[in-house]
Amino acid sequence: MGSWVRRALVVVAALGVVGTAAAFGLSDAEAPPVPRAATVTTGVSGASTLTGSWQAPAPPKPAEPASFVVAHAAGPTVSLFAEPDVPYEPKPRLDHPTHEGLPVVFLVLEERGDWLQVRVSSRPNDLVAWVRRAEVTLDTVPNRVLVEVGARRVTVLRGDQVLLQETAAVGSDRTPTPLGQFFVDGIVPLSGTGPYGAGQVSVSGFSDVLQSFGGGVGQIALHGTNRPDLLGQNVSNGCVRLSNDAITRLADLAPLGTPVDVVA
């Protein structure tokens, strides 16, 4: 084949690719489908043909929520319902404040007229119920917390932006950190000298092993530590330990109601 013929085929192939991209509306910012294999057949007097198979581009990743709706108890009690107007018999109401003196807060999952579907800080883990909108006030929080037990890591995110990422100590094999979708339900600053370090960020999750611990009901928390040498290990009774500096910063970034996802 003469050199002028080879140059012509290169130009034709390039024009074909550009024409195809234009026909499918691909912009400079979009990645075209990637061919798995392709064959170009040409003839001296016939039209060129292109055959092969293409891998479709991956669908776009859904955007992370920009904020989350939180409900705060407005009166001395909040009634819980299994469905609107159907009382939740195992626990028909919550006292506000709690027996620990902390405010009652919920993470809102759905709004339906005069009713809100909420995540509740109570056993069993991941408890979802309904509350009357009239019994709460609404607010929003901007961030979420991701606890990766296997990676021994805690990350605070705003959308896809990482605001804080720190090494953590997690539950031991005998007292593992429970997995699930929780939220921050209490923040308690501490002196920094005891086993809980500079503070506790209480989470609406409860140990799957311990029904009580230290006078409490086996609820977990993210908290500081006076043993930073143990960070990165699975040594706790189910709580998530962070350095004192990290728990102080996390408390500022994760106000009441902030979602906390604990994954394997």
Side-chain angles (χ1 to χ4, degrees), residues 58-148:
K61 181 182 177 182
E64 293 292 343
S67 63
F68 304 88
V69 180
V70 177
H72 301 265
T77 63
V78 178
S79 300
L80 299 182
F81 297 82
E83 295 289 343
D85 286 322
V86 179
Y88 179 66
E89 294 184 359
K91 186 172 288 189
R93 67 186 56 83
L94 295 178
D95 292 330
H96 169 65
T98 70
H99 69 283
E100 297 173 319
L102 296 175
V104 170
V105 62
F106 307 94
L107 177 61
V108 177
L109 304 179
E110 180 183 345
E111 302 183 41
R112 187 188 298 176
D114 294 333
W115 295 91
L116 302 170
Q117 187 185 48
V118 297
R119 199 174 299 285
V120 183
S121 179
S122 175
R123 292 186 189 271
N125 282 339
D126 298 329
L127 175 62
V128 172
W130 292 82
V131 300
R132 292 189 179 98
R133 184 188 289 266
E135 294 187 357
V136 298
T137 60
L138 299 184
D139 194 4
T140 60
V141 293
N143 304 328
R144 59 190 174 92
V145 179
L146 176 64
V147 178
E148 298 169 278

Side-chain angles (χ1 to χ4, degrees), residues 168-190:
V170 298
S172 69
D173 293 338
R174 294 182 60 185
T175 53
T177 299
L179 308 182
Q181 295 178 300
F182 309 121
F183 62 92
V184 173
D185 68 352
I187 300 174
V188 182
L190 297 171

